[in-house]
Coordinates of all heavy atoms in Angstrom, one line a residue:
E50 N -3.3 1.0 10.5 CA -4.1 -0.1 11.1 C -3.4 -1.5 10.7 O -3.3 -2.4 11.5 CB -5.5 -0.1 10.7 CG -6.4 -1.2 11.2 CD -6.6 -1.1 12.8 OE1 -6.5 0.0 13.3 OE2 -6.8 -2.2 13.4
L51 N -3.1 -1.6 9.4 CA -2.5 -2.8 8.9 C -1.2 -3.1 9.4 O -0.8 -4.3 9.5 CB -2.5 -2.8 7.4 CG -3.9 -2.9 6.7 CD1 -3.8 -2.5 5.2 CD2 -4.5 -4.3 6.8
T52 N -0.4 -2.1 9.8 CA 1.0 -2.4 10.3 C 1.0 -2.7 11.8 O 2.1 -3.0 12.3 CB 1.9 -1.1 10.0 OG1 1.3 0.0 10.6 CG2 2.0 -0.9 8.5
K53 N -0.2 -2.6 12.5 CA -0.2 -2.8 13.9 C 0.4 -4.2 14.3 O 1.0 -4.3 15.3 CB -1.6 -2.7 14.5 CG -2.0 -1.3 14.7 CD -3.2 -1.1 15.6 CE -4.3 -2.1 15.4 NZ -5.6 -1.8 16.1
N54 N 0.1 -5.2 13.5 CA 0.5 -6.6 13.9 C 1.9 -6.9 13.5 O 2.3 -8.0 13.7 CB -0.5 -7.6 13.4 CG -0.6 -7.6 11.8 OD1 0.2 -7.0 11.2 ND2 -1.5 -8.4 11.3
G55 N 2.6 -6.0 12.8 CA 3.9 -6.2 12.4 C 4.1 -7.1 11.1 O 5.2 -7.3 10.7
E56 N 3.0 -7.5 10.5 CA 3.1 -8.3 9.3 C 3.3 -7.4 8.1 O 2.9 -6.2 8.1 CB 1.8 -9.1 9.0 CG 1.5 -10.1 10.1 CD 2.4 -11.3 10.0 OE1 2.7 -11.7 8.9 OE2 2.9 -11.8 11.1
P57 N 4.0 -7.9 7.0 CA 4.2 -7.0 5.9 C 2.8 -6.7 5.2 O 1.9 -7.4 5.3 CB 5.0 -7.9 4.9 CG 5.3 -9.2 5.6 CD 4.5 -9.2 6.9
V58 N 2.7 -5.4 4.7 CA 1.5 -5.0 4.1 C 1.7 -4.9 2.6 O 2.6 -4.4 2.0 CB 1.2 -3.5 4.6 CG1 -0.1 -3.0 3.9 CG2 1.0 -3.5 6.1
H59 N 0.7 -5.5 1.9 CA 0.7 -5.6 0.4 C -0.5 -4.7 -0.1 O -1.5 -4.5 0.7 CB 0.5 -7.0 -0.1 CG 1.7 -7.9 0.3 ND1 1.7 -8.6 1.5 CD2 2.8 -8.1 -0.3 CE1 2.9 -9.2 1.6 NE2 3.6 -9.0 0.5
S60 N -0.4 -4.4 -1.3 CA -1.5 -3.6 -2.0 C -2.9 -4.2 -1.8 O -3.9 -3.6 -1.6 CB -1.2 -3.3 -3.4 OG -0.1 -2.5 -3.5
A61 N -2.9 -5.5 -1.9 CA -4.2 -6.3 -1.8 C -4.8 -6.1 -0.4 O -6.0 -6.0 -0.3 CB -4.0 -7.8 -2.1
D62 N -3.9 -6.0 0.6 CA -4.4 -5.8 2.0 C -5.1 -4.4 2.1 O -6.1 -4.3 2.7 CB -3.3 -5.9 3.0 CG -2.5 -7.2 2.9 OD1 -3.2 -8.3 2.7 OD2 -1.3 -7.2 3.1
V63 N -4.4 -3.5 1.5 CA -4.9 -2.1 1.5 C -6.2 -2.0 0.8 O -7.2 -1.4 1.3 CB -3.9 -1.1 1.0 CG1 -4.4 0.3 1.0 CG2 -2.6 -1.2 1.8
A64 N -6.3 -2.6 -0.4 CA -7.5 -2.6 -1.2 C -8.7 -3.2 -0.4 O -9.8 -2.6 -0.4 CB -7.3 -3.3 -2.5
E65 N -8.5 -4.3 0.2 CA -9.5 -4.9 1.0 C -10.0 -4.0 2.2 O -11.2 -3.9 2.4 CB -9.0 -6.3 1.5 CG -10.1 -7.0 2.3 CD -9.6 -8.4 2.7 OE1 -8.8 -9.0 2.1 OE2 -10.2 -8.9 3.7
T66 N -9.0 -3.4 2.9 CA -9.3 -2.6 4.0 C -10.1 -1.4 3.7 O -11.1 -1.0 4.3 CB -8.0 -2.2 4.8 OG1 -7.4 -3.4 5.2 CG2 -8.3 -1.3 6.0
V67 N -9.7 -0.7 2.6 CA -10.3 0.6 2.2 C -11.5 0.3 1.3 O -12.4 1.2 1.2 CB -9.3 1.4 1.4 CG1 -9.9 2.8 1.0 CG2 -8.1 1.7 2.3
G68 N -11.6 -0.9 0.7 CA -12.8 -1.2 -0.1 C -12.7 -0.6 -1.5 O -13.7 -0.2 -2.0
V69 N -11.5 -0.7 -2.1 CA -11.3 -0.1 -3.4 C -10.5 -1.2 -4.3 O -10.1 -2.2 -3.8 CB -10.5 1.2 -3.4 CG1 -11.3 2.3 -2.7 CG2 -9.1 1.0 -2.8
S70 N -10.3 -0.9 -5.5 CA -9.6 -1.8 -6.4 C -8.1 -1.6 -6.2 O -7.6 -0.6 -5.7 CB -9.9 -1.4 -7.9 OG -9.3 -0.2 -8.2
R71 N -7.4 -2.6 -6.7 CA -5.9 -2.6 -6.6 C -5.3 -1.5 -7.4 O -4.3 -0.9 -7.0 CB -5.3 -3.9 -7.0 CG -5.4 -5.0 -6.0 CD -4.7 -6.3 -6.5 NE -4.8 -7.3 -5.5 CZ -4.2 -8.5 -5.7 NH1 -3.6 -8.8 -6.9 NH2 -4.4 -9.4 -4.8
A72 N -6.0 -1.1 -8.5 CA -5.5 0.0 -9.3 C -5.6 1.3 -8.6 O -4.7 2.1 -8.6 CB -6.3 0.0 -10.6
S73 N -6.7 1.5 -7.8 CA -6.8 2.7 -7.0 C -5.8 2.7 -5.9 O -5.2 3.8 -5.7 CB -8.2 2.7 -6.3 OG -9.2 2.9 -7.3
V74 N -5.5 1.6 -5.3 CA -4.4 1.5 -4.3 C -3.1 1.9 -4.9 O -2.3 2.6 -4.4 CB -4.4 0.2 -3.6 CG1 -3.1 0.0 -2.7 CG2 -5.6 -0.1 -2.8
S75 N -2.8 1.4 -6.1 CA -1.6 1.6 -6.8 C -1.4 3.1 -7.1 O -0.3 3.6 -6.8 CB -1.5 0.8 -8.1 OG -0.3 1.1 -8.8
R76 N -2.4 3.8 -7.5 CA -2.3 5.2 -7.8 C -2.0 6.0 -6.4 O -1.2 6.8 -6.4 CB -3.6 5.7 -8.4 CG -3.7 5.4 -9.9 CD -4.8 6.1 -10.6 NE -6.1 5.7 -10.1 CZ -6.8 4.7 -10.5 NH1 -6.3 3.9 -11.4 NH2 -8.0 4.4 -9.9
A77 N -2.8 5.6 -5.4 CA -2.6 6.3 -4.1 C -1.2 6.0 -3.5 O -0.6 6.9 -3.0 CB -3.7 5.8 -3.2
M78 N -0.7 4.8 -3.7 CA 0.6 4.5 -3.1 C 1.7 5.3 -3.9 O 2.7 5.7 -3.3 CB 0.9 3.0 -3.2 CG 0.0 2.1 -2.3 SD -0.1 2.6 -0.5 CE -1.7 3.4 -0.4
G79 N 1.4 5.5 -5.2 CA 2.4 6.3 -5.9 C 2.4 7.8 -5.4 O 3.5 8.4 -5.2
V80 N 1.3 8.3 -5.1 CA 1.2 9.7 -4.5 C 1.9 9.7 -3.1 O 2.7 10.6 -2.8 CB -0.3 10.1 -4.3 CG1 -0.4 11.4 -3.5 CG2 -0.9 10.3 -5.7
L81 N 1.6 8.7 -2.3 CA 2.2 8.7 -0.9 C 3.7 8.5 -1.0 O 4.4 9.1 -0.2 CB 1.5 7.6 -0.1 CG 0.1 7.9 0.3 CD1 -0.6 6.6 0.9 CD2 0.0 9.0 1.3
K82 N 4.1 7.7 -1.9 CA 5.6 7.4 -2.1 C 6.3 8.7 -2.6 O 7.3 9.1 -2.0 CB 5.8 6.3 -3.1 CG 7.3 5.9 -3.2 CD 7.5 4.8 -4.1 CE 9.0 4.4 -4.2 NZ 9.2 3.3 -5.1
D83 N 5.7 9.4 -3.6 CA 6.2 10.6 -4.1 C 6.3 11.7 -3.0 O 7.2 12.5 -3.0 CB 5.4 11.1 -5.3 CG 5.6 10.3 -6.5 OD1 6.5 9.4 -6.6 OD2 4.7 10.4 -7.4
E84 N 5.3 11.7 -2.1 CA 5.3 12.7 -1.0 C 6.1 12.3 0.2 O 6.3 13.1 1.1 CB 3.9 13.0 -0.6 CG 3.0 13.5 -1.7 CD 3.3 15.0 -2.0 OE1 3.7 15.7 -1.1 OE2 3.2 15.4 -3.2
G85 N 6.7 11.1 0.2 CA 7.6 10.7 1.3 C 6.9 10.1 2.5 O 7.5 9.9 3.5
Y86 N 5.6 9.7 2.3 CA 4.8 9.1 3.4 C 5.0 7.6 3.5 O 4.8 7.0 4.6 CB 3.3 9.4 3.2 CG 3.0 10.9 3.4 CD1 2.8 11.7 2.3 CD2 2.9 11.4 4.7 CE1 2.5 13.1 2.5 CE2 2.6 12.7 4.9 CZ 2.4 13.6 3.8 OH 2.2 14.9 4.0
I87 N 5.4 6.9 2.4 CA 5.6 5.5 2.4 C 6.9 5.1 1.7 O 7.4 5.9 0.9 CB 4.4 4.7 1.8 CG1 4.3 5.0 0.3 CG2 3.2 4.9 2.6 CD1 3.4 4.0 -0.4
T88 N 7.4 3.9 1.9 CA 8.3 3.3 1.0 C 7.7 2.1 0.4 O 6.9 1.4 1.1 CB 9.6 2.9 1.8 OG1 9.3 2.0 2.8 CG2 10.3 4.1 2.4
K89 N 7.9 1.8 -0.8 CA 7.3 0.7 -1.5 C 8.2 0.2 -2.6 O 8.6 1.0 -3.5 CB 6.0 1.0 -2.0 CG 5.2 -0.2 -2.7 CD 3.9 0.2 -3.2 CE 3.1 -1.0 -3.8 NZ 3.9 -1.8 -4.7
Q90 N 8.6 -1.0 -2.6 CA 9.4 -1.6 -3.7 C 8.4 -2.0 -4.8 O 7.2 -2.3 -4.5 CB 10.2 -2.8 -3.2 CG 11.2 -2.4 -2.2 CD 12.2 -1.4 -2.6 OE1 12.7 -1.4 -3.7 NE2 12.5 -0.4 -1.7
Y91 N 8.8 -2.0 -6.0 CA 8.0 -2.4 -7.1 C 7.4 -3.8 -6.8 O 8.2 -4.8 -6.6 CB 8.8 -2.4 -8.4 CG 7.9 -2.6 -9.7 CD1 7.1 -1.5 -10.0 CD2 8.0 -3.7 -10.5 CE1 6.3 -1.6 -11.1 CE2 7.3 -3.7 -11.6 CZ 6.4 -2.7 -12.0 OH 5.6 -2.8 -13.1
Y92 N 6.1 -4.0 -6.7 CA 5.4 -5.2 -6.4 C 5.8 -5.7 -5.0 O 5.7 -6.9 -4.7 CB 5.6 -6.3 -7.4 CG 4.8 -6.0 -8.7 CD1 5.4 -5.7 -9.9 CD2 3.4 -6.2 -8.7 CE1 4.7 -5.4 -11.0 CE2 2.7 -5.9 -9.9 CZ 3.4 -5.5 -11.0 OH 2.6 -5.3 -12.2
G93 N 6.3 -4.8 -4.1 CA 6.7 -5.3 -2.8 C 5.8 -4.8 -1.7 O 4.7 -4.3 -2.0
T94 N 6.3 -4.9 -0.5 CA 5.5 -4.5 0.6 C 5.5 -3.0 0.8 O 6.4 -2.3 0.3 CB 6.0 -5.2 1.9 OG1 7.3 -4.9 2.1 CG2 5.8 -6.7 1.8
I95 N 4.6 -2.5 1.6 CA 4.4 -1.1 1.8 C 4.8 -0.8 3.3 O 4.3 -1.5 4.2 CB 3.0 -0.6 1.5 CG1 2.6 -1.0 0.1 CG2 2.8 0.8 1.8 CD1 1.1 -1.0 -0.2

């Protein structure tokens, strides 16, 4: 949903959309990155 408009996606955007803390997003993004579902640079866009 967040990538529909073509803007870069940050962890804060995901946290707001899902309604969770940034720490929860960070853990989830780690799982998704490890599984090959996302690319994410350290403190970068997703």
Side-chain angles (χ1 to χ4, degrees):
E50 182 67 27
L51 288 166
T52 59
K53 278 194 327 190
N54 64 8
E56 296 291 318
V58 177
H59 297 90
S60 293
D62 304 322
V63 178
E65 183 178 332
T66 299
V67 179
V69 297
S70 69
R71 285 185 178 178
S73 294
V74 171
S75 180
R76 284 189 296 276
M78 295 306 107
V80 169
L81 289 170
K82 184 176 180 183
D83 290 347
E84 296 289 326
Y86 291 100
I87 66 164
T88 59
K89 182 181 184 312
Q90 300 301 317
Y91 193 65
Y92 286 108
T94 59
I95 304 162

